[in-house]
Amino acid sequence: MIEILPTKILIVDDSAIERLKIKGYLGKRGYHIIEAANGVEGVECFIQHKPDLVLMDVNMPVMNGFDCIQNIRAYEKNMVTPILMLTGDDDMESIEWAFEVGANDFFPKPINFPLLHQRIRYALRDANRERDLRRITGLQETARALAGLSFWELDAKQQQFIWCDDAKAILHWVDELSPDPEKALAIVHPDDQSRLKAVFKDALDTGLKFDIEVRSPGSRQDYQLKIVGQRDGEQARLVGSFQDVTTQRRLEQQSNFLNYHDSVTGLPNRRLFQRDLEESIQLIVSNRSAVTVVVLEVLRFQQLVETYGTDVTDQLLVLLANQLKSFMPNDALVARLDGGVFALKLIVEVSIEHHEQILSELNQWIKHIDRAWMLDNRETFLTYTAGISVGQDKTTDASLLLRMAQRAQRLQKPSGSITIGFYEQDHEDSLHKRLKMESDLREALEQQQFYLVYQPQVDLSNDRVVGVEALIRWRHPQDGIVPPYVFIPVLEEMGLINALGEWILQEACQQQVGWMNEGVSLRMGINLSPAQFEQPDLPGKIIAIAKACGAQPELIELEITESLAMHNPDETIAILKRLRAFGFKIAIDDFGIGFSSLEYLLRFPLDTLKIDRAFIKDITAGRSDRAIVRALTSLCQGLGLTTIAEGVENQRQRDYVDALGATEIQGYLITPPLESKQLISFIKRRMTEHASNNPRNTGE
């Protein structure tokens, strides 16, 4: 809360009785009174207390009132504090001298206190207005200086042009600022002078405001001046301001260029390409002509960026752009859309063999980039895919034509250094299906159509269910159950996988707590996606979710795939160590199908290794699969890790992995993934069966 301080009044008077009377009257009205017995004390009190108003006697010992005021005004940078002279002298000479040295007003003695109070109020009000005016003026001066703004006047009657004091600093390229109107206007470019004179004359005749930009020639360049003005009332006088907007206009031109061009290559960007495409479609009137769009992508461009850095890949983009422009067909336009993606617009004559014609022209264009490129002194060959769409059948939508070419390009499977394909109608059907799925997925997230199922994990030593793996499913309102391999890649491309990942974490943690409350203690396995690992402070988010749900970290096992672990091993290890330090268990999934060296098993903070189903499927027939599984289980036994064999579907597979040393199994031999209630029923039924088959064993 801001404290409101009382108004301070300094009384400078050698008469203690006068000071007492003034203090008594004004003090009762809320003023804070400061007293001084002579002029010297008055100056000292003014400097120390900085009062809002001063009441000053004239005749005092040591220093009189006139000298005291002069000293106060010398101390103040601006004459802001109001000073009222209290005097019994009524001669005009004393009054004039009081104003001369800096007094704002005088008041006669003996004092009429009610009248003095009114004078004080008016003086304080005027002082506040003065302070506000100075503050606003200061702000305006600062803004004017920052904006490079100055003022001018034209007195048409006296034929005089008046410049503001700082005009010369702003018009630094002008040698002389003349008061003669004709010479003053000579600072304007000769081609713009007649236009400016006409504007001045119209403003003088009509009184209308004007805003005009003109050039002003300098020794090295033309400067751009913005001149604003209007007539001063009914007088034959114009007043206004001018501003050097040269830099501003240059930046606007650069900004406008960058709005429509790629900053790296200088090629048109997507916006300009699409605008040109729209104009080309509108201009095509002949039925035998068609607008064709080609989208060309440098494959694995992001990997090149990560390997060589942006400086090297930017140089590559510039070289590619120059090559594409140099051999560009006539009347064509080439643009860079983003990353390593370029686009070409062609106007072709439509015929029965127009596909062959387009391919012929395109091959002539692209063949020049099918060569070795030097990247950081290394010879590198690039791979390209291209998609083509032809604006036939009254295709008038430029954005659709571009999307069709992009769709065709993305569907190409590389079969050489350059792979080219045309857009077909079935691509459109596929595109519509994809767009519908994206829309449905957004709705699924909002309406919570996702749910979890749980696949049991059984300890081979006692046949008990000791854990589960949480798996996501989508219950579509029309299409029924949609498997994750269908929608997970789409969610990743849409950038929504992290939202789903957080929901899975929260739902699984809550379920684990719910089971604990029912007396069922199960380890909960939760898969983490590569996209989640790219989030800032992933461990903090997981820990926060577990805490909010009240889950026990030692019963939560976070699973990552081998490929994810090896993407950035050092960073992955740091994240996993932080999670494990909090109490979470860590499992590596699908182990054995990637390119990991077993050395990393010693570095990763693991609790569990899950052997991929690819080694389990043929374990009963393949010696090599058995050898790999045996090697992994032996290593894990030495490291104290749990091994879970995935995809166990029959008893023979179970027997083999058991004999080879696996700790646990999961798969359809036990049961397909189940929803929570079904899982608990399954576990209880399994416990009952075990109890009946083993009378001495009362439970799991």
Short mmCIF file of all heavy atoms in Angstrom, two decimals, residues 278-317:
data_model
loop_
_atom_site.label_atom_id
_atom_site.label_comp_id
_atom_site.label_asym_id
_atom_site.label_seq_id
_atom_site.Cartn_x
_atom_site.Cartn_y
_atom_site.Cartn_z
N GLU A 278 -1.30 -18.68 -57.84
CA GLU A 278 -2.69 -18.22 -58.00
C GLU A 278 -2.84 -17.36 -59.24
O GLU A 278 -3.81 -17.51 -60.01
CB GLU A 278 -3.11 -17.45 -56.75
CG GLU A 278 -3.27 -18.32 -55.51
CD GLU A 278 -3.45 -17.49 -54.26
OE1 GLU A 278 -3.31 -16.25 -54.34
OE2 GLU A 278 -3.71 -18.08 -53.19
N GLU A 279 -1.88 -16.43 -59.44
CA GLU A 279 -1.95 -15.55 -60.61
C GLU A 279 -1.80 -16.35 -61.91
O GLU A 279 -2.49 -16.07 -62.90
CB GLU A 279 -0.86 -14.48 -60.52
CG GLU A 279 -1.07 -13.49 -59.37
CD GLU A 279 0.09 -12.53 -59.22
OE1 GLU A 279 1.10 -12.69 -59.95
OE2 GLU A 279 -0.01 -11.62 -58.37
N SER A 280 -0.91 -17.33 -61.90
CA SER A 280 -0.70 -18.14 -63.11
C SER A 280 -1.96 -18.93 -63.46
O SER A 280 -2.33 -19.04 -64.63
CB SER A 280 0.47 -19.11 -62.89
OG SER A 280 1.66 -18.39 -62.69
N ILE A 281 -2.63 -19.48 -62.44
CA ILE A 281 -3.86 -20.24 -62.68
C ILE A 281 -4.93 -19.35 -63.30
O ILE A 281 -5.65 -19.74 -64.22
CB ILE A 281 -4.35 -20.88 -61.37
CG1 ILE A 281 -3.40 -22.00 -60.93
CG2 ILE A 281 -5.76 -21.44 -61.53
CD1 ILE A 281 -3.70 -22.56 -59.56
N GLN A 282 -5.04 -18.11 -62.81
CA GLN A 282 -6.05 -17.19 -63.33
C GLN A 282 -5.75 -16.76 -64.77
O GLN A 282 -6.66 -16.50 -65.55
CB GLN A 282 -6.13 -15.96 -62.43
CG GLN A 282 -6.70 -16.26 -61.04
CD GLN A 282 -6.62 -15.07 -60.11
OE1 GLN A 282 -6.14 -14.00 -60.50
NE2 GLN A 282 -7.07 -15.26 -58.88
N LEU A 283 -4.45 -16.71 -65.12
CA LEU A 283 -4.07 -16.24 -66.46
C LEU A 283 -4.20 -17.32 -67.53
O LEU A 283 -4.24 -17.02 -68.71
CB LEU A 283 -2.63 -15.72 -66.44
CG LEU A 283 -2.40 -14.41 -65.67
CD1 LEU A 283 -0.92 -14.10 -65.59
CD2 LEU A 283 -3.14 -13.26 -66.35
N ILE A 284 -4.22 -18.58 -67.10
CA ILE A 284 -4.32 -19.68 -68.06
C ILE A 284 -5.75 -19.72 -68.62
O ILE A 284 -6.71 -19.98 -67.90
CB ILE A 284 -3.98 -21.03 -67.40
CG1 ILE A 284 -2.51 -21.07 -66.99
CG2 ILE A 284 -4.30 -22.19 -68.33
CD1 ILE A 284 -1.55 -21.04 -68.14
N VAL A 285 -5.87 -19.44 -69.89
CA VAL A 285 -7.20 -19.46 -70.52
C VAL A 285 -7.30 -20.57 -71.56
O VAL A 285 -8.39 -21.03 -71.90
CB VAL A 285 -7.52 -18.10 -71.17
CG1 VAL A 285 -7.68 -17.05 -70.09
CG2 VAL A 285 -6.43 -17.69 -72.16
N SER A 286 -6.15 -21.00 -72.09
CA SER A 286 -6.17 -22.03 -73.12
C SER A 286 -6.38 -23.40 -72.48
O SER A 286 -5.78 -23.72 -71.47
CB SER A 286 -4.84 -22.03 -73.89
OG SER A 286 -4.75 -23.17 -74.71
N ASN A 287 -7.24 -24.20 -73.07
CA ASN A 287 -7.48 -25.54 -72.56
C ASN A 287 -6.28 -26.46 -72.75
O ASN A 287 -6.21 -27.53 -72.18
CB ASN A 287 -8.71 -26.16 -73.24
CG ASN A 287 -9.99 -25.48 -72.80
OD1 ASN A 287 -10.07 -24.98 -71.69
ND2 ASN A 287 -10.97 -25.46 -73.69
N ARG A 288 -5.37 -26.03 -73.62
CA ARG A 288 -4.20 -26.86 -73.89
C ARG A 288 -3.02 -26.47 -73.01
O ARG A 288 -1.90 -26.95 -73.22
CB ARG A 288 -3.81 -26.77 -75.37
CG ARG A 288 -4.88 -27.34 -76.28
CD ARG A 288 -4.36 -27.51 -77.69
NE ARG A 288 -3.18 -28.37 -77.74
CZ ARG A 288 -3.21 -29.70 -77.67
NH1 ARG A 288 -4.37 -30.33 -77.52
NH2 ARG A 288 -2.10 -30.41 -77.73
N SER A 289 -3.23 -25.61 -72.04
CA SER A 289 -2.16 -25.22 -71.10
C SER A 289 -2.57 -25.61 -69.69
O SER A 289 -3.76 -25.59 -69.35
CB SER A 289 -1.90 -23.72 -71.17
OG SER A 289 -1.39 -23.37 -72.44
N ALA A 290 -1.59 -25.94 -68.89
CA ALA A 290 -1.87 -26.31 -67.50
C ALA A 290 -0.71 -25.87 -66.62
O ALA A 290 0.45 -25.85 -67.05
CB ALA A 290 -2.08 -27.82 -67.38
N VAL A 291 -1.05 -25.50 -65.41
CA VAL A 291 -0.03 -25.17 -64.42
C VAL A 291 0.40 -26.45 -63.73
O VAL A 291 -0.44 -27.22 -63.25
CB VAL A 291 -0.57 -24.16 -63.38
CG1 VAL A 291 0.50 -23.86 -62.33
CG2 VAL A 291 -1.03 -22.89 -64.06
N THR A 292 1.69 -26.66 -63.69
CA THR A 292 2.24 -27.87 -63.05
C THR A 292 3.12 -27.46 -61.88
O THR A 292 3.92 -26.53 -61.99
CB THR A 292 3.07 -28.68 -64.06
OG1 THR A 292 2.21 -29.09 -65.12
CG2 THR A 292 3.67 -29.91 -63.41
N VAL A 293 2.97 -28.16 -60.78
CA VAL A 293 3.78 -27.89 -59.58
C VAL A 293 4.62 -29.12 -59.28
O VAL A 293 4.13 -30.25 -59.29
CB VAL A 293 2.89 -27.55 -58.36
CG1 VAL A 293 3.74 -27.39 -57.10
CG2 VAL A 293 2.10 -26.27 -58.62
N VAL A 294 5.90 -28.88 -59.02
CA VAL A 294 6.83 -29.94 -58.65
C VAL A 294 7.39 -29.61 -57.27
O VAL A 294 7.87 -28.50 -57.04
CB VAL A 294 7.99 -30.07 -59.65
CG1 VAL A 294 8.92 -31.21 -59.24
CG2 VAL A 294 7.47 -30.28 -61.06
N VAL A 295 7.32 -30.55 -56.35
CA VAL A 295 7.93 -30.39 -55.03
C VAL A 295 9.09 -31.37 -54.93
O VAL A 295 8.93 -32.57 -55.13
CB VAL A 295 6.91 -30.64 -53.89
CG1 VAL A 295 7.62 -30.68 -52.54
CG2 VAL A 295 5.85 -29.56 -53.90
N LEU A 296 10.28 -30.82 -54.66
CA LEU A 296 11.51 -31.60 -54.62
C LEU A 296 12.10 -31.51 -53.21
O LEU A 296 12.26 -30.41 -52.67
CB LEU A 296 12.52 -31.05 -55.64
CG LEU A 296 13.93 -31.63 -55.60
CD1 LEU A 296 13.95 -33.02 -56.22
CD2 LEU A 296 14.91 -30.71 -56.33
N GLU A 297 12.42 -32.66 -52.62
CA GLU A 297 12.98 -32.66 -51.26
C GLU A 297 14.33 -33.36 -51.23
O GLU A 297 14.50 -34.42 -51.83
CB GLU A 297 12.04 -33.34 -50.27
CG GLU A 297 12.61 -33.32 -48.84
CD GLU A 297 11.67 -33.90 -47.81
OE1 GLU A 297 10.64 -34.50 -48.19
OE2 GLU A 297 11.96 -33.76 -46.61
N VAL A 298 15.26 -32.74 -50.51
CA VAL A 298 16.54 -33.40 -50.20
C VAL A 298 16.29 -34.30 -49.00
O VAL A 298 15.99 -33.82 -47.90
CB VAL A 298 17.63 -32.37 -49.87
CG1 VAL A 298 18.96 -33.08 -49.58
CG2 VAL A 298 17.79 -31.37 -50.99
N LEU A 299 16.37 -35.61 -49.19
CA LEU A 299 16.07 -36.54 -48.10
C LEU A 299 17.13 -36.48 -47.01
O LEU A 299 18.30 -36.20 -47.27
CB LEU A 299 15.96 -37.96 -48.65
CG LEU A 299 14.82 -38.21 -49.65
CD1 LEU A 299 14.76 -39.68 -50.02
CD2 LEU A 299 13.48 -37.75 -49.09
N ARG A 300 16.69 -36.74 -45.79
CA ARG A 300 17.56 -36.75 -44.61
C ARG A 300 18.30 -35.44 -44.44
O ARG A 300 19.45 -35.40 -43.97
CB ARG A 300 18.54 -37.93 -44.67
CG ARG A 300 17.84 -39.29 -44.59
CD ARG A 300 18.84 -40.42 -44.60
NE ARG A 300 19.52 -40.54 -45.90
CZ ARG A 300 19.03 -41.16 -46.95
NH1 ARG A 300 17.85 -41.73 -46.89
NH2 ARG A 300 19.71 -41.21 -48.07
N PHE A 301 17.65 -34.34 -44.83
CA PHE A 301 18.30 -33.03 -44.72
C PHE A 301 18.58 -32.69 -43.26
O PHE A 301 19.63 -32.12 -42.93
CB PHE A 301 17.41 -31.96 -45.36
CG PHE A 301 18.01 -30.58 -45.30
CD1 PHE A 301 19.05 -30.22 -46.15
CD2 PHE A 301 17.56 -29.64 -44.38
CE1 PHE A 301 19.61 -28.95 -46.08
CE2 PHE A 301 18.11 -28.38 -44.32
CZ PHE A 301 19.14 -28.03 -45.18
N GLN A 302 17.65 -33.03 -42.36
CA GLN A 302 17.85 -32.72 -40.95
C GLN A 302 19.07 -33.46 -40.40
O GLN A 302 19.78 -32.93 -39.54
CB GLN A 302 16.59 -33.08 -40.14
CG GLN A 302 16.62 -32.63 -38.69
CD GLN A 302 16.84 -31.14 -38.54
OE1 GLN A 302 16.31 -30.34 -39.31
NE2 GLN A 302 17.64 -30.76 -37.54
N GLN A 303 19.32 -34.66 -40.88
CA GLN A 303 20.51 -35.39 -40.45
C GLN A 303 21.78 -34.67 -40.89
O GLN A 303 22.78 -34.64 -40.17
CB GLN A 303 20.49 -36.81 -41.00
CG GLN A 303 19.40 -37.69 -40.39
CD GLN A 303 19.45 -39.11 -40.92
OE1 GLN A 303 20.46 -39.55 -41.46
NE2 GLN A 303 18.35 -39.83 -40.78
N LEU A 304 21.73 -34.08 -42.09
CA LEU A 304 22.88 -33.29 -42.56
C LEU A 304 23.10 -32.09 -41.65
O LEU A 304 24.25 -31.75 -41.33
CB LEU A 304 22.64 -32.82 -44.00
CG LEU A 304 22.57 -33.89 -45.08
CD1 LEU A 304 22.23 -33.26 -46.43
CD2 LEU A 304 23.88 -34.65 -45.17
N VAL A 305 22.00 -31.44 -41.23
CA VAL A 305 22.11 -30.29 -40.32
C VAL A 305 22.76 -30.72 -39.01
O VAL A 305 23.65 -30.05 -38.48
CB VAL A 305 20.72 -29.66 -40.06
CG1 VAL A 305 20.83 -28.55 -39.01
CG2 VAL A 305 20.13 -29.10 -41.34
N GLU A 306 22.30 -31.85 -38.46
CA GLU A 306 22.83 -32.33 -37.18
C GLU A 306 24.29 -32.76 -37.32
O GLU A 306 25.07 -32.63 -36.38
CB GLU A 306 21.98 -33.49 -36.68
CG GLU A 306 20.56 -33.09 -36.29
CD GLU A 306 19.68 -34.28 -35.97
OE1 GLU A 306 20.17 -35.43 -36.07
OE2 GLU A 306 18.50 -34.07 -35.63
N THR A 307 24.66 -33.26 -38.50
CA THR A 307 26.03 -33.74 -38.71
C THR A 307 27.01 -32.60 -38.97
O THR A 307 28.09 -32.54 -38.38
CB THR A 307 26.08 -34.74 -39.88
OG1 THR A 307 25.17 -35.81 -39.61
CG2 THR A 307 27.49 -35.29 -40.07
N TYR A 308 26.62 -31.69 -39.86
CA TYR A 308 27.55 -30.66 -40.32
C TYR A 308 27.29 -29.28 -39.71
O TYR A 308 28.17 -28.41 -39.77
CB TYR A 308 27.50 -30.54 -41.85
CG TYR A 308 27.96 -31.79 -42.57
CD1 TYR A 308 27.05 -32.65 -43.15
CD2 TYR A 308 29.31 -32.11 -42.66
CE1 TYR A 308 27.45 -33.80 -43.82
CE2 TYR A 308 29.73 -33.25 -43.32
CZ TYR A 308 28.80 -34.09 -43.90
OH TYR A 308 29.22 -35.22 -44.55
N GLY A 309 26.10 -29.06 -39.17
CA GLY A 309 25.77 -27.74 -38.64
C GLY A 309 25.08 -26.87 -39.67
O GLY A 309 25.15 -27.12 -40.89
N THR A 310 24.43 -25.81 -39.21
CA THR A 310 23.64 -24.97 -40.11
C THR A 310 24.50 -24.15 -41.08
O THR A 310 24.06 -23.87 -42.19
CB THR A 310 22.75 -24.00 -39.30
OG1 THR A 310 23.56 -23.26 -38.38
CG2 THR A 310 21.69 -24.75 -38.52
N ASP A 311 25.71 -23.76 -40.67
CA ASP A 311 26.55 -22.97 -41.58
C ASP A 311 26.84 -23.76 -42.85
O ASP A 311 26.73 -23.22 -43.97
CB ASP A 311 27.86 -22.58 -40.89
CG ASP A 311 27.65 -21.56 -39.79
OD1 ASP A 311 26.59 -20.91 -39.81
OD2 ASP A 311 28.54 -21.41 -38.94
N VAL A 312 27.21 -25.03 -42.69
CA VAL A 312 27.55 -25.86 -43.86
C VAL A 312 26.30 -26.15 -44.68
O VAL A 312 26.32 -26.04 -45.92
CB VAL A 312 28.22 -27.17 -43.40
CG1 VAL A 312 28.41 -28.12 -44.59
CG2 VAL A 312 29.55 -26.88 -42.74
N THR A 313 25.19 -26.50 -44.03
CA THR A 313 23.98 -26.84 -44.78
C THR A 313 23.36 -25.59 -45.43
O THR A 313 22.73 -25.71 -46.48
CB THR A 313 22.95 -27.53 -43.88
OG1 THR A 313 22.76 -26.76 -42.67
CG2 THR A 313 23.41 -28.92 -43.50
N ASP A 314 23.54 -24.43 -44.83
CA ASP A 314 23.07 -23.20 -45.48
C ASP A 314 23.85 -22.97 -46.78
O ASP A 314 23.28 -22.55 -47.80
CB ASP A 314 23.25 -22.00 -44.56
CG ASP A 314 22.15 -21.92 -43.51
OD1 ASP A 314 21.20 -22.73 -43.57
OD2 ASP A 314 22.24 -21.05 -42.62
N GLN A 315 25.16 -23.23 -46.75
CA GLN A 315 25.95 -23.11 -47.98
C GLN A 315 25.46 -24.10 -49.03
O GLN A 315 25.39 -23.78 -50.22
CB GLN A 315 27.43 -23.37 -47.66
CG GLN A 315 28.07 -22.31 -46.79
CD GLN A 315 29.48 -22.69 -46.37
OE1 GLN A 315 30.11 -23.56 -46.95
NE2 GLN A 315 29.98 -22.02 -45.34
N LEU A 316 25.12 -25.31 -48.60
CA LEU A 316 24.59 -26.31 -49.52
C LEU A 316 23.29 -25.82 -50.15
O LEU A 316 23.08 -25.96 -51.37
CB LEU A 316 24.35 -27.63 -48.79
CG LEU A 316 23.60 -28.72 -49.58
CD1 LEU A 316 24.41 -29.16 -50.79
CD2 LEU A 316 23.27 -29.91 -48.68
N LEU A 317 22.40 -25.23 -49.34
CA LEU A 317 21.13 -24.72 -49.86
C LEU A 317 21.36 -23.63 -50.89
O LEU A 317 20.66 -23.57 -51.91
CB LEU A 317 20.27 -24.19 -48.71
CG LEU A 317 19.68 -25.23 -47.75
CD1 LEU A 317 19.03 -24.56 -46.56
CD2 LEU A 317 18.66 -26.11 -48.47
#
